[in-house]
Amino acid sequence: MTDDTPDLPPVHPKHLARERFGKGALHAAHDITEALAEAGVDDDGVVVLRTDGPRHSFAQLEALIDEALAEEAEHGEEPKAP
């Protein structure tokens, strides 16, 4: 078998951070559902959306991502591909 796929450019660290957040959120939701099942509680599928909290601008969210990436770099961690 030959690999005919062209070399892909590297993924930007901010995109990797967003992907990790999404995966983390899905895993957390799964863990909650699993814990409810183990406790014998029915999962009614209700999702709570908090609307009374502060709204973050894109600049604030970008700053949070930059901060997380800086912490990873400080600890010598490489950004992980999704």
Side-chain angles (χ1 to χ4, degrees), residues 2-80:
T2 61
D3 187 13
D4 295 330
T5 5
D7 290 333
L8 298 174
V11 179
H12 193 278
K14 289 182 183 179
H15 293 231
L16 290 175
R18 187 194 69 198
E19 292 294 325
R20 278 196 311 275
F21 172 79
K23 285 175 80 174
L26 287 174
H27 284 287
H30 174 74
D31 292 345
I32 291 169
T33 301
E34 209 171 54
L36 288 172
E38 286 177 7
V41 178
D42 288 335
D43 181 7
D44 59 6
V46 174
V47 175
V48 178
L49 175 62
R50 183 175 177 183
T51 59
D52 62 343
R55 303 278 192 230
H56 297 290
S57 69
F58 285 121
Q60 290 169 318
L61 294 174
E62 186 173 18
L64 287 172
I65 292 172
D66 288 340
E67 184 180 313
L69 291 172
E71 284 179 14
E72 283 185 355
E74 186 178 299
H75 296 292
E77 299 175 15
E78 289 291 320
K80 300 170 192 79

